[in-house]
Amino acid sequence: MLFRPIIPICLMASTAHAYWKGFNLGATVPSGACKTQADWTKDFQVLASLPGHFTSARVYAASDCNTLATAVPAAVAAGTSLLVGVWTEDAAHYDAEKAALLAVIQQYGFDWMVAVSVGSEDLYRGDTSAETLASQIDDVRGMLWSVGAGAIKVGHVDTWTAWVNPANNAVITASDFIGTDGYPYFQDASINDGYNVFWQSVTDVGSMVAQVKPGTPIWITETGWPVGGGAMGAAMPSVNNAHMYWESVACVQKFSGSLWHEELKQNGGHLEQRSSNGILPPITLPGLFLTLGGGLLNGVLQPFTGRLSLLVPPTPQSFGLKAIPGTDANHQYVAPGTNDQRGACPALNTLANHGYISRDGITTWAEAANAIQTAFGFGYDLASILSGLGVIAGGDLITGKYSIGGADSRVPDTLGPSLGLDKHGVCEVDNSIARVDTFFGAEFKIPNSNQANFHLDRWQALLEDVAAHGNLFSQAAFTDEKKRSYDDSRATNPHFDAGPKWYVIAHGERVFVYRNMLNGTSPGECSHFDPNQIYTGRVVVVRFTQRPTNVSTDTAPDFGNVGPFFLNETFPKNWFRRPTPFPLADFLLDITSLYLGSPVELGANEGLGNFVPLGTDPSAMTPSQIACFVLANILDEAPGSVAINIVNNYNLIQGFLNGAVAPFFANYNCDLTDYTVPSASAGEDTTGSSSDDGPAIVNGVYQRSNE
């Protein structure tokens, strides 16, 4: 089994037995060249710098790439212990492996050595028989005895499925330890079942070992959950799932033993995405083409080319429990001035008021995406998509600039009018939390009811729903509120639109409240990602911290968390962002879960009492189908949200969507054969309606300008 780096797992052991925690380390650098002693020294320094007391490494071979000759002196100097591998695949190679092991023992002794694994997953691959492997284990043990290293354990590493096969009992009998590899992900288990599936595999191995050779220690040599790659049955890769797996599997004192996590590979802080022939090109969704660059490489969006070459893509930001804004002098609240743009999105307004994006409200694709990662804990994928759609819907595609409010001369009109995010259907739609439907606002059917403005009456109605659910802005509260406001809009708005875009935005804005405005904490040291960790899009190396004592432990935000965002567009006092990133996969699951709490028809009014159903039922869709439904509608509807002049440059929009949005959906295997290019008459030239009473808002009331 070869599975590249995933989230590291620490295993809690009883104090009665020694145990080790570490990583598997390959013998080559990303170029394919063998590691030097200096390379090994750097690896061990990285391990030593990681919190969690990672003091050990597992190496796969002894002679290949002169592994032990270069790694052992570095390990001795760093105080790192090694679980040594000896390959068994052919006689000449096996002899060379033993000779390399013997040479370093004779030069450096054996205090640096944890144990020797004779072979790795040979039984899983069917490369040898149990009897032959058992004989080789005895052979290596004899060699160690001959040089006074008889105390070193000798055993074998294999998949849990190999260990529970009675045909392999001879290897158990011969081994001083059992190294077991288990991945619930590869067993098609959902993240919710990962705990039980993993521990059942350990239990099954333990039962077999107890029958064959009682008392033999069992070490977990590989386990974890992927943060990238494709789905395996019900198993979905994501950073949040990896954290959940850590929390449920690793941080429980259920098992006494040792662990070496799967291979840790770094290249300037990033993993390399590789094929057998070299480095892979950036990827997007199969069937689409990167005509203007972009795409994902090592989980990071790549530069664009041609007419989009001025675009600066977002970058992954550090995450973890952190006070926002805390004492950072650069991010304290400053009320907006009369020339500053503010719009319909309280989160973006808050970011501008605190300087996480430009305080004038003119931002860029990268700036806004990086800011919502930093301040609200959005995942890199979700942040990049949302800000990218902001550029498409209301900004200048060539420079990546857009206004978080209405149209503004500070945003270039390179391809046509840059209308700002306050256009209906960008940050808010009909049935919004605190804004009126566009029919009532844009045409002022209700006096002074600009649809970009915050409306206290809608906020008060929400508070009644919240009061009925323990005074928490929970999913349950929003389930009731969404259904109530949907019914009201459908009954009173002749142009009520509850189509695919409504499905995403109406549910998404509510999910963001209880997922991203919660004061980020949960009990226990295994609950928090620290900002000072490595996040490459494929690998997360985790630092854990104790939770602060001055934050809430509620599972949903209360008024003290949410109110300041909506009523004053500022961060609450003593507020911490969520400890784990909120990625696209979790967002899609959450909007579906919220929808299923009070499912309603998708469709639109064509006059009062004449609702035309869309004929699409999200409740009948799988998670992958939901993702593809969302993506297809982004690709279909995004161009229709922009000005007609921009649609005339559709090749640029398509190149951007293919390179900036679609790559994050690559895991979902979406079929885009029915995807159609918008007609030349698509698009709209209606400018955004900037919040006209402000832009400053205090306790839910706009402060009118004196000018």
Side-chain angles (χ1 to χ4, degrees):
M1 180 185 300
L2 180 60
F3 186 70
R4 292 306 174 199
I6 48 184
I7 193 166
I9 296 297
C10 67
L11 193 63
M12 308 303 294
S14 70
T15 56
H17 301 277
Y19 73 101
W20 296 267
K21 293 188 300 180
F23 284 83
N24 292 262
L25 294 177
T28 60
V29 295
S31 68
C34 294
K35 286 180 179 177
T36 64
Q37 182 174 331
D39 293 322
W40 286 109
T41 297
K42 182 178 179 180
D43 284 347
F44 299 143
Q45 288 173 343
V46 170
L47 286 181
S49 70
L50 297 175
H53 203 56
F54 295 103
T55 59
S56 184
R58 176 185 170 216
V59 294
Y60 302 114
S63 63
D64 294 355
C65 268
N66 292 317
T67 294
L68 294 188
T70 53
V72 171
V76 170
T80 302
S81 60
L82 299 181
L83 171 57
V84 176
V86 170
W87 282 109
T88 64
E89 56 194 17
D90 63 72
H93 193 187
Y94 174 57
D95 287 342
E97 291 281 278
K98 289 195 299 178
L101 175 58
L102 183 61
V104 292
I105 290 175
Q106 291 171 335
Q107 182 172 0
Y108 298 101
F110 51 85
D111 289 343
W112 52 271
M113 199 185 320
V114 173
V116 179
S117 171
V118 180
S120 177
E121 297 189 348
D122 305 66
L123 301 175
Y124 166 77
R125 295 190 303 270
D127 289 347
T128 189
S129 68
E131 289 71 23
T132 298
L133 185 56
S135 176
Q136 290 172 315
I137 291 171
D138 289 337
D139 181 42
V140 171
R141 182 182 293 110
M143 184 188 74
L144 294 178
W145 273 100
S146 71
V147 292
I152 299 297
K153 294 183 183 296
V154 183
H156 175 66
V157 170
D158 223 304
T159 64
W160 74 270
T161 54
W163 291 120
V164 300
N165 184 349
N168 298 323
N169 284 354
V171 179
I172 297 177
T173 300
S175 294
D176 298 323
F177 72 91
I178 304 299
T180 184
D181 301 344
Y183 293 99
Y185 171 82
F186 285 114
Q187 296 173 252
D188 298 349
S190 71
I191 186 60
N192 292 329
D193 294 330
Y195 175 92
N196 290 329
V197 169
F198 173 75
W199 285 115
Q200 186 60 54
S201 74
V202 175
T203 299
D204 291 346
V205 172
S207 296
M208 180 61 76
V209 171
Q211 295 176 38
V212 177
K213 192 178 180 182
T216 305
I218 299 170
W219 296 346
I220 296 172
T221 39
E222 295 178 23
T223 193
W225 196 276
V227 298
M232 295 285 289
M236 300 294 295
S238 77
V239 172
N240 209 46
N241 283 353
H243 178 264
M244 288 176 64
Y245 186 78
W246 174 291
E247 198 170 55
S248 65
V249 172
C251 295
V252 290
Q253 297 191 27
K254 177 173 181 174
F255 182 80
S256 296
S258 301
L259 179 137
W260 290 265
H261 173 62
E262 238 290 337
E263 186 177 337
L264 174 68
K265 295 174 65 178
Q266 290 182 275
N267 178 24
H270 294 279
L271 273 185
E272 290 237 4
Q273 214 175 305
R274 299 183 64 84
S275 70
S276 59
N277 296 321
I279 297 178
L280 292 172
I283 62 169
T284 187
L285 190 72
L288 301 180
F289 300 96
L290 298 175
T291 56
L292 291 170
L296 285 173
L297 181 63
N298 306 319
V300 180
L301 289 171
Q302 299 302 292
F304 284 78
T305 60
R307 292 198 69 191
L308 299 183
S309 60
L310 295 179
L311 286 175
V312 177
T315 55
Q317 303 297 299
S318 62
F319 52 86
L321 196 70
K322 182 179 180 180
I324 302 291
T327 58
D328 189 338
N330 293 323
H331 295 300
Q332 299 306 305
Y333 176 84
V334 175
T338 55
N339 294 321
D340 295 334
Q341 287 285 349
R342 298 295 184 268
C345 179
L348 287 176
N349 294 343
T350 299
L351 291 175
N353 290 340
H354 283 268
Y356 285 98
I357 61 175
S358 297
R359 291 185 183 269
D360 61 9
I362 308 301
T363 189
T364 67
W365 176 33
E367 182 186 65
N370 294 345
I372 61 177
Q373 291 179 76
T374 297
F376 288 106
F378 281 63
Y380 175 64
D381 50 5
L382 186 56
S384 299
I385 292 169
L386 292 176
S387 188
L389 294 178
V391 175
I392 287 287
D396 177 55
L397 185 58
I398 300 303
T399 61
K401 286 187 176 182
Y402 59 92
S403 163
I404 67 172
D408 193 292
S409 61
R410 290 169 288 187
V411 179
D413 294 328
T414 311
L415 301 178
S418 300
L419 306 177
L421 295 192
D422 272 359
K423 287 171 47 186
H424 179 65
V426 180
C427 278
E428 56 77 38
V429 291
D430 290 343
N431 187 203
S432 179
I433 294 175
R435 266 74 180 174
V436 297
D437 292 0
T438 189
F439 172 77
F440 300 114
E443 302 179 35
F444 292 95
K445 297 297 191 301
I446 299 176
N448 299 318
S449 293
N450 182 339
Q451 78 271 13
N453 283 356
F454 176 85
H455 282 263
L456 271 172
D457 56 341
R458 296 182 73 90
W459 173 256
Q460 291 297 334
L462 169 61
L463 293 185
E464 293 178 9
D465 295 308
V466 168
H469 292 277
N471 291 315
L472 295 178
F473 289 77
S474 62
Q475 179 174 325
F478 278 112
T479 296
D480 291 350
E481 177 273 336
K482 183 210 67 177
K483 180 63 165 61
R484 172 184 52 74
S485 57
Y486 170 93
D487 290 343
D488 179 68
S489 290
R490 180 167 168 173
T492 60
N493 179 358
H495 300 306
F496 176 54
D497 185 355
K501 185 160 52 176
W502 171 88
Y503 173 80
V504 177
I505 298 175
H507 293 87
E509 68 172 338
R510 291 164 170 84
V511 165
F512 292 156
V513 172
Y514 56 83
R515 293 298 187 214
N516 297 90
M517 292 183 180
L518 173 66
N519 203 333
T521 186
S522 57
E525 66 174 358
C526 293
S527 302
H528 306 309
F529 284 98
D530 185 272
N532 300 315
Q533 61 189 313
I534 303 167
Y535 173 50
T536 69
R538 296 280 301 179
V539 167
V540 183
V541 176
V542 180
R543 179 190 301 260
F544 288 105
T545 62
Q546 294 289 343
R547 71 180 182 92
T549 58
N550 62 334
V551 293
S552 168
T553 58
D554 289 331
T555 56
D558 58 16
F559 184 88
N561 296 153
V562 177
F565 288 111
F566 280 89
L567 299 179
N568 296 289
E569 294 177 341
T570 184
F571 288 100
K573 291 183 178 180
N574 300 317
W575 189 83
F576 288 72
R577 73 180 175 199
R578 53 180 289 137
T580 60
F582 184 58
L584 173 65
D586 292 354
F587 169 73
L588 294 172
L589 290 174
D590 278 343
I591 63 173
T592 302
S593 178
L594 179 58
Y595 172 81
L596 293 176
S598 54
V600 295
E601 282 187 297
L602 301 190
N605 273 345
E606 294 185 2
L608 292 180
N610 185 27
F611 186 83
V612 180
L614 180 65
T616 300
D617 182 9
S619 64
M621 297 181 185
T622 65
S624 290
Q625 289 171 331
I626 288 288
C628 296
F629 171 69
V630 170
L631 175 63
N633 282 284
I634 288 174
L635 298 178
D636 279 336
E637 292 199 21
S641 300
V642 303
I644 293 173
N645 289 350
I646 301 181
V647 174
N648 293 334
N649 294 279
Y650 179 70
N651 63 309
L652 299 180
I653 296 178
Q654 185 180 49
F656 179 76
L657 292 173
N658 289 0
V661 175
F664 293 110
F665 290 83
N667 294 336
Y668 294 101
N669 300 315
C670 299
D671 181 3
L672 298 178
T673 54
D674 294 330
Y675 168 60
T676 58
V677 176
S679 68
S681 63
E684 56 185 60
D685 283 325
T686 305
T687 60
S689 299
S690 183
S691 301
D692 57 3
D693 287 340
I697 183 172
V698 177
N699 296 327
V701 178
Y702 287 97
Q703 308 302 296
R704 292 185 179 275
S705 169
N706 293 324
E707 298 181 8

